[in-house]
Structures are given as C-alpha cells and as structure tokens.
Amino acid sequence: MSDQPGTPGTPLRVAIVGSGPAGFYAAEHLLRQERAAVEVDIFDRLPTPFGLVRAGVAPDHPKIKSVIRVYEKTAARDGFRFFGNVEVGRHLSAAEVAERYHAVIHAYGSPTDRRLGIPGEDLEGSHPATAFVAWYNAHPDFAELHFDLSCERAVVIGNGNVATDLARMLALTREELETTDTAEHAIDVLGASKVREIIVLGRRGPAQAAFTNPELRELGEMKDADVDVDPAEVEIDDLSRAYLASDDADITTRKNVEIFTEFSRRQPEGKRRRIVLRFLRSPVEIQGDGKVERLIVARNELYRDESGAIRSRDTGERETLECGLVFRSIGYKGVGLDGIPFDQRRGVIPNQGGRVSDPESGQQVAGQYAVGWIKRGPSGVIGTNKKDAQETIDNLLADVEAGRLPAGAADSAAVESWLLERVPEHVAYSGWEAIDRAEQERGKALGRPRVKFVRIDEMIEAARSGDPVAS
C-alpha cells in the first residue's frame, strides 16, 4: 500500500518526547535501521538537548559527558530534527502530538525525587539531591535556589552514584571546581563552603551498596578530603557473606566490599574535609527550630524477606547526628503526562517491552511507546538506555510491519508551521549548536570548558544571534 508508514513515499514519522540518552538512542536505532524509511523529531522542554548528561552528570566527570559526541552523530543524520524549548503537556498536548505522528516515544525520564516521608523533611536545609545536582549543573529551573553551606556537617542519605557525586562536589576545592563546567553561581557558593564533614548513610550493608567501583574509589582520591570508614562498619554479616559467595553477587559488588575494607584500614592524612561512609542506618526524623539542626537515624539489621531478598529493618536503636544540611538521594521518580497511562506507584508509563499498555485492560495503546527511566524506572547507567531503546524500537518496527500503527501523520513542513505558530521561540538543533558555541566562548576567557547559560531567555538569544537560520 502506498500510504503504509515506512515506505519512501510515506516515511514513518516518529516523535520522541525527551532528548536525554534514552531519546537519542531511540533516534539512533530508528535512523540506522534499514527496515523502514523514517523521520524523527525530538522534543525537549529545554532549549538544550542531552538531558541528564548535560544537567545530571557531575561536572568533574567530563569523560562521561563525552558520550554527547555519539548523540551529535545521530543529530547529523538525514531525517533528524530537534525542537527545544517545547514542552509536551504545556505548549502542546500529548493528543496533539499523537495526531501528527505515526508513533510517539516517551523518553522524558524521571524528573522528580523520591521523598523520605519522615517528620522534618521540609525544614530549611533539607534538600532533594535532584535539586542540588540540577543547581550546580546550571539547570535553568534550579538556578535561583539557595543552598546554605555555612554548617560544618552535611548528611547525604543514599548509597548510589548520585550520593557519591554530592559528597565529592561538597568536598572539591574551588581550584578544582574552576576547571569544570560547574555553574558560576555554584562555584561561588561551593568555593566558600564551611562544610568540613560529609556523612553518607546507607540503609543496608556494604554488600548491598549500589555504587559503581570507579565512583566509589574516587572518594578515596580526593585532593582535600580524607575518606573515613569505621572497621566495624564493614564487618560482613552471615547473610551478606552467603550472598557474596553466591552466583547472585556480581563483580562490582564484591569489588565494592574490597574498596570499603581498604578505606577502613586507612589512617587520616589531615586533609581539610572528611567523607564518612556509614551503613545500616535509616533516617527517622529531621529536627531543628525552623531549619535542620540534627538528624535522628535508626540502626538497622539485615534479614531475608519471603521472596529471599535481603532487606533492612529497624532494631529500635537510635543515633543523633548534629548537622546543618540533609540531602536525600534515594532515587528519581517519573511523572505522568495527561492522556497517557501512568503507574503512580512505580512512577513509570505501563508498558510491555516499550509498548505502552492500558493498565486496566492490558491492551496496547496504538502508536505509543516508552524508553529509558519512564519505561523501566530510574535504574542503570547511561549505556543501559541503548539496549533498552533497542527493545522498544524493535517492537515499534514490528508494529509497523504488522500494520498496527495509526495511518495518518502530518508531513515535516506541516509540523514546522504548527510549531512556529504555537511555540515561536522553539530552538532547532542549529540553535542549540549556537548556544553550545557561545558557552564555550564564555568559558575560554576563564580557562574552563564552558560557562553555561542559566536563563532560558539567554539561551534563546544565543540561539538566535549565533544561528543565521533561526534568525
């Protein structure tokens, strides 16, 4: 049939909502395959692409950000377009987007944080890790936040890589920060920080910590911070010992335990700051007179639940930590999009292999797909999204071949005209390239890789002034 999506005369038109790693890997898989002719439009609520690679990866980890070069190759492919500063759910409804494409892939991740659900969580000085990370990465939504680093002790709750990022950023010297693309406002605040001790708490033991080895090892390589692990903290209990000896424990977990043990044998070198790792602790209350003054934590023990999983439970013992800052780093959570099925409990779009499904009937929602964290939850590393996206794209292409997609779609010119009318200040990929050049120029004078814009209007002005097409 001549109007079958995927033919040269009627290319498969796909919209991807979200331009982070999941969205770009989905675009790459679509544009590289040869089963169907495809055109891909990526929408992002920010004028800048790349999601958490730009706004979530710690500024002192430039090698991780180098994955952007892969996404740039995808953006250079025929059939690719980027529309930044366009928010689906605000500027455009999900239904309006679906009307103009054969398929829509949701790749907008998990933009909010999980809460502790304890008294005092909303006191001044208690913050979600998501906000702090976005603030020091110059995310425009968080640039105006204020973090008071005048206290001597901060507590980071969580045992994943975001927790290590927070601890490291709090411990870096101003000189180290000034070689990165940390936001200018954050360098000033972090550089003047009075924080001398950063305690990182995990609710389970060292054998259950979710750090990756390089990120954990970095905590012991800080220029001006000692790492502190009490030898008693890394004594392995019987359950963890059996787990480590089993096939269920991977090499990362075993190596983590070795690193913790090595840390526990170190003598302090008298550095200005100290990063303290503690296990089997859960926060139960944050106390203070209008602001954080102390954290009450429970001492835990490990047990096996009915499914055989190793979990923690409160022993009833309490410990008080005097502190002025608490950062909760216990995970990201997805949000729903009006008109698209959503699992509130898990914070994901219900799906089967990336095919969005109706939670009541279990039936596939035609033309709707999901990738990345909004598909599977906030787990894995950047590269995890590549395989995840491949599964979704394989199923999407199978649906194309089986004739299961909606037949109608607007052509690329019609979409461009629609966007010019609805969101005149949208930013094309050439506009992003102009922003990118301007940020790098701003950084040159300071010997830094870039100085990021933190305001949307500044980004749009840079996009327009530096991009003749957009102008």
Side-chain angles (χ1 to χ4, degrees):
M1 295 176 59
S2 60
D3 59 350
Q4 173 69 28
T7 63
T10 309
L12 173 66
R13 300 270 298 128
V14 179
I16 298 177
V17 182
S19 68
F24 264 92
Y25 284 128
E28 178 190 11
H29 292 320
L30 279 168
L31 295 170
R32 288 184 63 181
Q33 55 77 40
E34 298 179 352
R35 293 162 63 180
V38 182
E39 294 178 349
V40 174
D41 291 344
I42 289 188
F43 295 86
D44 200 285
R45 60 181 295 267
L46 295 179
T48 55
F50 312 135
L52 287 181
V53 175
R54 175 179 167 91
V57 171
D60 64 330
H61 278 173
K63 287 184 179 179
I64 295 177
K65 296 187 181 189
S66 65
V67 71
I68 285 174
R69 289 197 288 269
V70 175
Y71 308 148
E72 290 172 338
K73 291 179 180 178
T74 297
R77 288 181 175 273
D78 290 340
F80 176 94
R81 293 192 302 184
F82 170 75
F83 297 115
N85 200 38
V86 179
E87 184 173 355
V88 177
R90 184 167 74 95
H91 297 119
L92 319 170
S93 72
E96 288 176 317
V97 175
E99 287 172 4
R100 288 163 172 80
Y101 293 88
H102 298 110
V104 179
I105 301 173
H106 300 283
Y108 59 88
S110 302
T112 62
D113 65 286
R114 294 189 179 277
R115 292 179 61 83
L116 295 167
I118 63 174
E121 187 170 8
D122 294 318
L123 283 172
E124 183 181 337
S126 171
H127 305 284
T130 52
F132 191 58
V133 169
W135 171 78
Y136 64 61
N137 271 306
H139 192 298
D141 290 354
F142 298 87
E144 300 300 321
L145 293 184
H146 173 69
F147 294 93
D148 183 355
L149 305 187
S150 63
C151 62
E152 291 195 357
R153 177 184 284 164
V155 179
V156 180
I157 300 166
N159 260 189
N161 282 347
V162 175
T164 66
D165 284 349
L166 260 69
R168 211 174 53 253
M169 289 297 292
L170 287 167
L172 289 172
T173 65
R174 184 183 184 100
E175 292 71 28
E176 289 175 302
L177 291 166
E178 287 175 340
T179 65
T180 72
D181 65 356
T182 303
E184 286 288 279
H185 58 254
I187 290 178
D188 290 337
V189 175
L190 290 166
S193 170
K194 297 294 192 295
V195 174
R196 294 294 175 264
E197 184 174 82
I198 304 113
I199 300 178
V200 182
L201 299 182
R203 62 187 171 86
R204 294 186 293 172
Q208 290 79 40
F211 307 122
T212 52
N213 301 155
E215 281 67 26
L216 176 59
R217 194 177 290 108
E218 274 186 301
L219 295 183
E221 300 169 349
M222 302 297 296
K223 179 179 179 180
D224 201 21
D226 288 316
V227 65
D228 181 308
V229 180
D230 188 325
E233 296 279 334
V234 292
E235 291 180 3
I236 303 299
D237 62 286
D238 291 341
L239 283 177
S240 297
R241 188 176 296 107
Y243 167 68
L244 290 169
S246 72
D247 292 336
D248 293 332
D250 58 25
I251 190 169
T252 297
T253 300
R254 295 190 179 100
K255 190 65 179 176
N256 275 347
V257 173
E258 291 178 14
I259 296 169
F260 291 133
T261 302
E262 191 272 320
F263 285 170
S264 74
R265 294 170 179 162
R266 291 189 183 186
Q267 294 298 314
E269 298 178 24
K271 295 179 180 179
R272 191 162 58 106
R273 292 190 170 107
R274 186 167 70 135
I275 298 173
V276 183
L277 305 181
R278 294 290 181 264
F279 304 99
L280 294 171
R281 310 290 206 288
S282 290
V284 294
E285 185 177 0
I286 302 172
Q287 298 179 344
D289 184 11
K291 63 179 182 179
V292 173
E293 295 176 1
R294 68 194 69 88
L295 175 67
I296 311 301
V297 299
R299 293 295 300 264
N300 298 331
E301 63 182 5
L302 299 180
Y303 74 101
R304 281 196 185 277
D305 66 11
E306 294 179 354
S307 70
I310 298 177
R311 302 196 181 279
S312 63
R313 63 187 171 198
D314 189 349
T315 65
E317 184 180 347
R318 295 292 182 266
E319 182 180 345
T320 300
L321 298 175
E322 302 295 331
C323 60
L325 279 168
V326 173
F327 294 100
R328 60 180 183 271
S329 179
I330 57 173
Y332 290 71
K333 189 175 183 180
V335 296
L337 191 59
D338 190 34
I340 304 300
F342 189 70
D343 184 333
Q344 291 286 353
R345 184 183 65 82
R346 295 184 58 221
V348 299
I349 294 175
N351 67 92
Q352 298 174 14
R355 294 180 171 111
V356 174
S357 57
D358 182 276
E360 294 184 4
S361 67
Q363 296 298 307
Q364 178 182 355
V365 180
Q368 297 288 328
Y369 301 85
V371 293
W373 282 3
I374 201 64
K375 168 188 174 183
R376 67 180 189 273
S379 63
V381 295
I382 291 172
T384 307
N385 294 292
K386 188 175 178 69
K387 182 178 180 181
D388 174 287
Q390 185 69 69
E391 177 189 49
T392 296
I393 299 310
D394 286 345
N395 285 331
L396 189 161
L397 293 172
D399 291 343
V400 173
E401 292 164 356
R404 288 192 284 263
L405 293 189
D411 63 28
S412 59
V415 169
E416 180 70 44
S417 297
W418 174 57
L419 283 174
L420 280 171
E421 178 182 344
R422 293 290 294 275
V423 195
E425 292 192 323
H426 72 262
V427 175
Y429 195 80
S430 56
W432 149 245
E433 290 176 318
I435 295 170
D436 186 33
R437 289 192 299 271
E439 289 184 341
Q440 291 184 55
E441 284 298 319
R442 282 155 54 97
K444 275 184 182 179
L446 300 173
R448 299 178 55 202
R450 69 177 61 237
V451 172
K452 293 178 178 176
F453 293 108
V454 296
R455 287 171 39 192
I456 298 292
D457 59 345
E458 292 177 330
M459 296 178 191
I460 293 172
E461 181 181 355
R464 295 293 181 262
S465 61
D467 176 18
V469 176
S471 303

